[in-house]
Amino acid sequence: MSEPILEMKNISKNFGSVIALKNVDLEVYPGEIRGLIGENGSGKSTISSIAAGMQKATSGRMTFKKQSWEPVSMIDALQNGIGMVVQESGTISGVTVAENIFLAELSQFRNKLGMINKKAMNQKATEAMRAIGVEHVTGDMPIASLDFQTRKLVEIAKVMLKNPDILVIDETSTALSQDGREIMYSLIRKLRDSGKAIIFISHDLEEIMEVCDTLTVLRDGNLIRTFKKEEFNADEIRTSMIGRELQGDYYRSDFTPSSQKEAAITATNLKYKEELKSVSITLKKGEILGIGGLAACGMHTLGKAMFGALALEEGEVTTYDGTKINSPHIAVANKIGYVSKDRDVESLCLSASIQDNIAVGGMEKYAVNGFLITNKKEKEYVAKQIKDLSIKCSDGDQLTSQLSGGNKQKVVFGKWIGCGSEILILDCPTRGVDIGVKQSMYQLMMELKKEGKAILLISEELPELLGMSDRLLIMKDGSITGEFMRSESLTDADVIGYMI
């Protein structure tokens, strides 16, 4: 085997009293796709972000291409050979695709008068998108006009322009539909075959076993084991990840659809641009209604419409008592909660504490006499959600930005469950969440269902939809193309034809 291109020795990282990494040693080799896997909070994103200059280690040392490696920022790291595509949103709204790609390098497009040559910049950004296989995006497009997965492809194009020696992919595939994933897989295989290295982080065990050459497992900030390709075994990897075998059911164990007769919320003839074309659905109390399809089918738009977050061209959303839901404020007042696919932008305030994020939804629950808020009552309210949902943190005062993806998602759940939401709109609720947390979330959904809560489950993962839904609706091009009732015999093959 060749010399390692990256060596990380005795890397430790502390966030206050929380220990994220404990003396971890990691070596990455040229021509290798190195997988990192582990439960949320295991340290996999932390160690890769240290290598990519996002943050500094508390202690330890690194060498890159046999030289001491101490990047001062992600820009510095990218300029010198290590680029990272982050798990959450890495683009800036309010500017164009080109301005996002060349944000730190606008000077190269300045003329003698100091003016930016936007035509040249847009052209080069368009070429960067074409270089990774994306034909429908041009440099002059506003970044806000693109969906979440396309913005991820812009981030990939930005990193690939620098032709990095090491590319770090942190949970990016969870934001991509199948065509986007194929673009990413093709890129990283080309990089590997050209002698570059890739650090690939994913919670999808099947994906990581298929894509990676070696696989390193982290747990609670410790490096547990590295598997070679010929050693890959799903059961052994799972046990290494969680330190135990999973207990109880993963998805639901029953195969009989069930719900109450009464409707919880109804959407009638919803129209919105080309994304919703006269869509009508009814979600019943005590029902998990699955919505599936490819990324641009309209299902994510439907979720926002049901929460009152879109100005519909036609149609209406009403609750069981006839209340029209035409704003998030009215939705929340009628005990409707919404978990967005893009949680860091639309569901959380990352610069605020865990307490602030959870407490904001439940003031009526802990306010004394309905209006007086005391710090003690608020802390008790939040502490209960932290305990009930097993949120891994130092305390409620910890910044939400310091949490792992799965623990961030638990904070979002805590905000809506704590305040007693009767209707939950869950858009890709297990995106970027490890297998153990996924199981606990599925069990939580079943508990909520048994309590009579209504759940709209929007997901790009067919196994999740088949495993949890009482009823499954498939969307394509803004319309509902198929409906399936829960059944033991229902398979991916039965529904996928209605998606493509």
Side-chain angles (χ1 to χ4, degrees), residues 159-428:
V159 173
M160 291 303 298
L161 261 180
K162 295 300 181 183
N163 192 26
D165 295 298
I166 298 179
L167 174 63
V168 182
I169 300 285
D170 188 2
E171 289 288 350
T172 300
S173 59
T174 62
L176 302 176
S177 61
Q178 192 56 43
D179 55 343
R181 292 183 188 194
E182 290 303 326
I183 289 172
M184 183 183 67
Y185 297 154
S186 176
L187 282 173
I188 63 177
R189 285 169 179 146
K190 286 179 182 177
L191 284 172
R192 176 193 61 189
D193 294 345
S194 66
K196 310 285 187 178
I198 300 91
I199 299 174
F200 189 84
I201 303 171
S202 176
H203 283 305
D204 188 330
L205 186 53
E206 291 184 7
E207 174 187 55
I208 211 164
M209 290 174 65
E210 174 67 25
V211 171
C212 297
D213 303 310
T214 50
L215 177 57
T216 295
V217 178
L218 289 106
R219 186 173 74 238
D220 296 330
N222 296 290
L223 194 153
I224 302 301
R225 178 179 173 183
T226 294
F227 294 82
K228 297 178 182 178
K229 188 79 169 182
E230 60 270 20
E231 298 174 327
F232 286 3
N233 177 282
D235 290 336
E236 287 189 29
I237 295 170
R238 286 194 193 98
T239 300
S240 296
M241 285 170 57
I242 62 179
R244 65 187 191 284
E245 293 185 5
L246 288 171
Q247 300 296 318
D249 296 321
Y250 188 60
Y251 298 123
R252 291 169 61 174
S253 58
D254 69 294
F255 292 98
T256 303
S258 60
S259 67
Q260 298 177 17
K261 293 181 180 180
E262 189 175 16
I265 190 169
T266 300
T268 307
N269 296 323
L270 303 188
K271 290 185 180 180
Y272 183 78
K273 299 181 179 179
E274 292 298 310
E275 299 170 37
L276 296 176
K277 302 172 182 176
S278 297
V279 174
S280 297
I281 67 169
T282 297
L283 171 63
K284 297 179 180 179
K285 294 182 179 181
E287 179 183 39
I288 300 176
L289 174 59
I291 308 287
L294 300 179
C297 69
M299 60 183 176
H300 306 299
T301 306
L302 177 60
K304 291 182 178 179
M306 299 287 282
F307 191 58
L310 296 177
L312 295 167
E313 295 166 10
E314 291 184 30
E316 64 180 16
V317 178
T318 57
T319 61
Y320 65 95
D321 63 358
T323 301
K324 291 184 180 180
I325 305 300
N326 50 29
S327 74
H329 175 75
I330 294 174
V332 173
N334 283 271
K335 296 190 178 299
I336 301 173
Y338 172 64
V339 176
S340 170
K341 177 182 178 181
D342 191 0
R343 65 172 167 255
D344 277 16
V345 174
E346 298 178 341
S347 290
L348 292 169
C349 179
L350 295 181
S351 60
S353 66
I354 296 167
Q355 177 164 317
D356 289 341
N357 272 283
I358 292 177
V360 70
M363 292 182 183
E364 292 182 359
K365 288 281 186 179
Y366 59 80
V368 179
N369 296 324
F371 70 92
L372 179 62
I373 297 174
T374 67
N375 190 49
K376 180 182 178 183
K377 289 289 185 182
E378 184 176 343
K379 282 186 176 295
E380 289 174 351
Y381 173 85
V382 171
K384 184 178 187 304
Q385 302 311 313
I386 291 174
K387 180 181 178 182
D388 290 351
L389 293 170
S390 300
I391 299 172
K392 188 182 290 185
C393 60
S394 55
D395 54 38
D397 292 327
Q398 185 176 350
L399 289 179
T400 309
S401 60
Q402 295 177 347
L403 299 179
S404 65
N407 284 297
K408 286 178 185 174
Q409 194 72 318
K410 288 181 179 182
V411 170
V412 181
F413 268 71
K415 175 171 63 177
W416 297 121
I417 293 171
C419 67
S421 298
E422 295 292 332
I423 300 168
L424 288 166
I425 301 166
L426 309 180
D427 191 348
C428 297

Side-chain angles (χ1 to χ4, degrees), residues 147-165:
D147 60 24
F148 189 58
Q149 91 141 355
T150 309
R151 294 199 301 271
K152 274 289 154 196
L153 295 174
V154 172
E155 293 176 45
I156 292 173
K158 177 178 181 176
V159 173
M160 291 303 298
L161 261 180
K162 295 300 181 183
N163 192 26
D165 295 298

Side-chain angles (χ1 to χ4, degrees), residues 462 466 491-497:
L462 268 179
L466 296 174
T491 66
D492 293 17
D494 297 324
V495 302
I496 200 165

